[in-house]
Amino acid sequence: MSGTQRKMVAIGAAALMATAGQVVVTPTAVAQADTSQCETSQTAERSWAGSLGTKYYLNKEVVGDGTAAPGGEVTFRTTISGAGALVSRLDDFHPEGFELVRARESVWKVIGGQSWTTVTDDVLRDSSANSIYRTGAGWTTAAGAHATLETTYKVPDTVSPGDVLNTGAGVTVALGEGRWVENPINTCVTIREPNAAEAVTGSLDDLGFGSATAGSTTSSGISSDPSGFIADIINDINIGELIGLS
């Protein structure tokens, strides 16, 4: 049967189905996520009955130029500031498939004031929500203090240059109705082509070096420190044995 004949048969079948009261469904393009409001930094403002009319600010930003390459790394910061209430939880909602490499927090402490601490081993993960979150006994936002969760991820190889990926943020404030989630928040990372260094690291990953696990889990190995990995290999080689001197 020729292509023209097949087309005529299909048209005829559709007409018969329509006459019989059946609906013919034709494929349609899949709707793309709206990225028209995307920025590399967004701040949401909110007050509620429990905050006694005072305002709080939830900020999510992409550290750097707002871009990342497939297989590369990207860092986000989620910050809550406001009128002095205690914060007991910070949430970072990341794009699907991103793998946590490291995390740190900046909170105000009685000794040391506002300072950074590595918390990679202390954050919690919710793979069903594509989120990483950190809980605490209560971090103050009084007198200009703030609580920030910084998360660095490995970008999956499955994304494509030109993709714009949205993220979200959340916080729990120790006041009535203090759970607040902005997901998405329209802080987006744009995927670009890998640069020379990232291309080399990606090639080594393809050869099986390094390790990573899917979802909101920890990624480690050569992808997080390729130069250190190579240096370790060189240091472990006995050059004398290689050239027959020992």
Side-chain angles (χ1 to χ4, degrees):
M1 183 183 293
S2 68
T4 301
Q5 288 174 318
R6 291 192 185 93
K7 183 176 180 180
M8 294 302 295
V9 169
I11 293 173
L16 288 173
M17 292 173 69
T19 302
Q22 299 183 37
V23 177
V24 180
V25 179
T26 57
T28 57
V30 177
Q32 299 297 313
D34 180 14
T35 58
S36 60
Q37 302 301 312
C38 279
E39 300 288 348
T40 57
S41 179
Q42 298 275 14
T43 300
E45 176 185 308
R46 186 180 176 191
S47 62
W48 57 96
S51 71
L52 304 177
T54 58
K55 294 180 180 179
Y56 287 83
Y57 305 91
L58 182 60
N59 175 265
K60 176 74 175 285
E61 66 174 311
V62 188
V63 178
D65 64 2
T67 69
E73 292 185 359
V74 64
T75 298
F76 301 105
R77 285 180 184 159
T78 301
T79 300
I80 181 68
S81 58
L86 296 179
V87 175
S88 60
R89 172 169 169 167
L90 276 172
D91 301 69
D92 173 58
F93 295 89
H94 57 78
E96 185 176 0
F98 278 44
E99 300 160 354
L100 184 68
V101 175
R102 54 189 173 273
R104 61 178 186 159
E105 68 183 16
S106 176
V107 297
W108 192 89
K109 301 174 183 177
V110 175
I111 299 176
Q114 192 82 36
S115 60
W116 286 101
T117 304
T118 298
V119 294
T120 307
D121 296 332
D122 302 313
V123 295
L124 300 172
R125 301 163 173 82
D126 184 350
S127 58
S128 64
N130 290 321
S131 71
I132 301 293
Y133 61 97
R134 170 73 168 143
T135 60
W139 309 301
T140 184
T141 58
H146 61 270
T148 297
L149 175 64
E150 182 183 273
T151 48
T152 298
Y153 299 95
K154 180 181 177 183
V155 180
D157 294 324
T158 52
V159 298
S160 302
D163 289 349
V164 179
L165 307 177
N166 214 331
T167 67
V171 64
T172 300
V173 179
L175 290 170
E177 300 177 5
R179 180 66 178 153
W180 176 16
V181 172
E182 296 282 344
N183 187 28
I185 197 172
N186 293 321
T187 294
C188 302
V189 57
T190 301
I191 305 302
R192 55 166 171 75
E193 294 285 353
N195 58 37
E198 291 164 334
V200 170
T201 301
S203 297
L204 292 172
D205 282 340
D206 290 340
L207 291 175
F209 296 107
S211 63
T213 50
S216 291
T217 53
T218 300
S219 170
S220 61
I222 187 172
S223 61
S224 60
D225 185 12
S227 60
F229 180 88
I230 294 169
D232 288 342
I233 291 177
I234 294 172
N235 290 336
D236 286 338
I237 294 175
N238 186 325
I239 301 299
E241 287 183 357
L242 282 179
I243 63 177
L245 296 179
S246 62

